[in-house]
Amino acid sequence: MKEFKTLFFFLRLPISISLVGHGLVRIPKLQTFTEGMVKSMEKSAIPEVLITPFGYILPFLEAIVGIALLIGFKPKLTIYAAISLMTILIFGSSSVENWTAIEAQLLHCLYLFVLLWFYVKNSREENQPLV
């Protein structure tokens, strides 16, 4: 069991740091980040009334999910939250045809899926429902 905990920590470490980093570097410049997001989404069908609050919330969500994943808080739930967040980002990126961003977001999703698979296959909760 100790080996699993160590392996799982090091497997989730890179994606956790990525999420925490995305969030924490944006928080000090929250207004600038949000304005940039609104500008980049101008040609999207998504209304600005949704983009603006999401821009203010996103860095905090990224940081919280990243920290939760880093400390191992409810791993399955946290991984599901991270995949859900990435899915929202993919939807936004696809609405403005930002294929480069989608590639990075899909890579995050794939990594998170592998992390979830590893957790489910190797944890003591293997026979428990996934949520």
Side-chain angles (χ1 to χ4, degrees):
M1 184 64 178
K2 183 174 171 52
E3 186 175 334
F4 164 75
K5 286 182 179 182
T6 303
L7 288 171
F8 187 60
F9 171 76
F10 281 105
L11 186 59
R12 69 180 193 265
L13 186 60
I15 195 77
S16 301
I17 298 303
S18 176
L19 288 166
V20 170
H22 274 86
L24 292 183
V25 300
R26 293 172 173 164
I27 290 173
K29 55 182 181 179
L30 195 54
Q31 185 168 352
T32 305
F33 168 73
T34 301
E35 289 168 357
M37 179 180 265
V38 168
K39 178 115 175 97
S40 72
M41 299 292 288
E42 280 177 337
K43 295 179 181 173
S44 170
I46 303 169
E48 185 177 331
V49 70
L50 295 177
I51 297 168
T52 300
F54 186 72
Y56 282 108
I57 295 168
L58 177 61
F60 293 99
L61 292 175
E62 290 171 323
I64 290 166
V65 169
I67 290 167
L69 196 53
L70 183 65
I71 65 172
F73 177 76
K74 297 194 182 254
K76 286 189 284 188
L77 183 62
T78 302
I79 294 168
Y80 285 137
I83 292 172
S84 298
L85 183 58
M86 286 298 131
T87 302
I88 293 167
L89 293 173
I90 290 168
F91 177 73
S93 296
S94 65
S95 74
V96 292
E97 300 181 80
N98 187 348
W99 310 126
T100 304
I102 292 171
E103 289 173 6
Q105 293 155 348
L106 285 171
L107 186 59
H108 275 74
C109 284
L110 180 61
Y111 195 102
L112 288 160
F113 171 77
V114 169
L115 189 62
L116 180 62
W117 180 83
F118 180 82
Y119 181 78
V120 169
K121 283 295 193 187
N122 295 290
S123 73
R124 289 186 179 219
E125 300 176 14
E126 191 171 339
N127 296 323
Q128 298 296 321
L130 290 178
V131 274

